[in-house]
């Protein structure tokens, strides 16, 4: 029997991250469900585990370098492998009529969670992946970070999703030929707390392309941006 793959999904306690966790675990992959709130993570993982899925909760606040370092030390030491990293956790702060200084603070806070955390996780994950010459990194981006779709408003969120796309490109270039595939995904407009109830997509549909990228075959693409399993422009 093939060895069981191990995935980390950040922000796995609700929304698209919870659904990605459910779908990956449904494929027999052991999911470490990251949640910044330990109790909410245990509750979410418990529901999936009760349905017979291989899921375990782990406290992981992606805005904290300390929390990320502790989690990845545990992975290196106690788990011993990491095959898949899904950088799903993200925030979109309502900007309203914030003044420029408040706006700058929102940008800092958003970059911390949506870009710097995923960057550090990727940096710590790739040596573990390299040791087995297998890795899949999936970064949850958005059409709002796409240069060709760029519009007014949401400057913090747009900067962060443009930023995560750069993380995708750089880490993909640095890991080329090592069995590690790194891609960005736009899940579309999804009915979650962030997307709102008026969104056009279910969480199942929103998770689908991320799960596909997390389980690409060895000859799959790297350094690209996808929506509905098709490449889109940056
Ligand atoms: N929904 C959409 O239409 C849409 C469209 C394009 C892209 N996306 C992207 O898809 C991803 C998931 O979005 P979603 O719609 O599922 O959002 P959501 O329903 O608001 O859920 C966000 C998740 O991220 C977690 N999170 C936030 N800050 C965190 C931190 N510092 N550390 C760890 N976890 C943290 C939240 O945890 P708590 O429960 O603790 O708050 C929650 O689990 C995001 O990256 C988002 O930008 C969403």
């Amino acid at each position: 029997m093939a060895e069981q793959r191990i995935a980390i999904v950040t922000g796995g306690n609700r929304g698209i991250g919870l659904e990605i966790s459910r779908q990956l675990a449904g494929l027999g992959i052991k999911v470490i469900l990251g949640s910044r709130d330990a109790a909410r993570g245990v509750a979410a993982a418990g529901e999936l585990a009760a349905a017979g899925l291989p899921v375990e909760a782990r406290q992981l606040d992606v805005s904290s370098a300390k929390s990320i370092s502790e989690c990845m030390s545990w992975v290196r030491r106690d788990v011993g492998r990491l095959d898949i990293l899904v950088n799903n956790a993200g925030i979109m702060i309502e900007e309203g009529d914030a003044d420029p200084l408040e706006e700058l603070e929102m940008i800092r806070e958003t970059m911390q969670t949506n870009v710097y955390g995923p960057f550090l996780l990727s940096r710590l994950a790739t040596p573990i992946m390299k040791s087995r010459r297998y890795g899949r990194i999936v970064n949850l981006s958005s059409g709002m970070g796409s240069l060709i779709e760029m519009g007014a408003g949401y400057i913090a969120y747009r900067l962060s999703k443009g930023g995560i796309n750069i993380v995708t490109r750089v880490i993909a270039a640095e890991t080329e030929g090592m069995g590690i595939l790194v891609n960005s995904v736009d899940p579309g407009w999804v009915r979650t707390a962030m997307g709102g109830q008026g969104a056009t997509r279910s969480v199942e549909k929103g998770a689908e392309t991320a799960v596909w990228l997390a389980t690409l075959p060895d000859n799959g693409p790297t350094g690209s941006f996808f929506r509905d399993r098709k490449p889109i422009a940056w």
Side-chain angles (χ1 to χ4, degrees):
M1 207 177 115
E3 285 177 76
Q4 190 176 36
R5 295 212 185 280
I6 307 271
I8 292 183
V9 180
T10 69
N13 57 293
R14 63 184 169 94
I16 299 171
L18 177 60
E19 182 58 25
I20 292 171
S21 300
R22 185 196 316 276
Q23 291 187 20
L24 287 176
L27 296 172
I29 294 163
K30 168 81 186 281
V31 174
I32 299 164
L33 182 154
S35 173
R36 64 174 151 181
D37 181 285
R40 285 201 288 258
V42 167
E47 262 181 48
L48 299 184
L53 297 171
V55 181
E56 174 186 343
R58 190 79 197 171
Q59 199 277 334
L60 177 56
D61 179 348
V62 304
S63 70
S64 159
K66 182 168 177 282
S67 175
I68 291 171
S69 302
E70 282 172 4
C71 179
M72 293 306 286
S73 299
W74 167 76
V75 169
R76 258 196 321 272
R77 194 184 56 237
D78 293 358
V79 183
R81 68 183 289 169
L82 181 64
D83 304 288
I84 299 164
L85 167 64
V86 182
N87 282 313
N88 162 80
I91 55 172
M92 180 164 69
I93 305 172
E94 188 52 63
E95 291 167 23
D97 47 8
D99 71 35
L101 286 176
E102 286 171 346
E103 206 178 22
L104 183 60
E105 272 319 303
M106 289 177 186
I107 291 173
R108 288 204 170 103
E109 191 183 336
T110 305
M111 293 297 281
Q112 192 70 42
T113 297
N114 293 9
V115 185
Y116 305 150
F119 162 74
L120 182 58
L121 275 161
S122 304
R123 269 277 184 267
L124 295 172
T126 49
I128 308 174
M129 292 172 168
K130 270 183 212 167
S131 67
R132 288 175 178 268
R133 296 192 68 78
Y134 184 95
R136 305 288 180 262
I137 299 178
V138 184
N139 292 324
L140 270 285
S141 182
S142 165
M144 290 177 75
S146 160
L147 287 173
I148 65 153
E149 294 181 24
M150 202 50 63
Y154 296 98
I155 180 73
Y157 189 73
R158 289 185 191 279
L159 269 173
S160 75
K161 294 305 185 183
I164 192 69
N165 283 346
I166 290 176
V167 171
T168 293
R169 293 289 291 216
V170 171
I171 307 264
E174 291 178 358
T175 54
E176 211 169 330
M178 296 174 185
I180 300 173
L181 305 175
V182 189
N183 292 288
S184 282
V185 57
D186 170 17
W189 188 24
V190 183
R191 287 188 294 279
T192 61
M194 185 185 289
Q197 282 315 300
T200 48
R201 293 189 168 198
S202 63
V203 281
E204 289 81 0
K205 183 74 183 155
E208 193 188 287
T209 297
V211 169
W212 172 70
L213 289 170
T215 54
L216 285 173
D218 291 344
N219 62 355
T222 190
S224 289
F225 189 12
F226 291 90
R227 182 190 294 140
D228 294 331
R229 300 190 181 199
K230 293 194 182 69
I232 57 172
W234 295 104

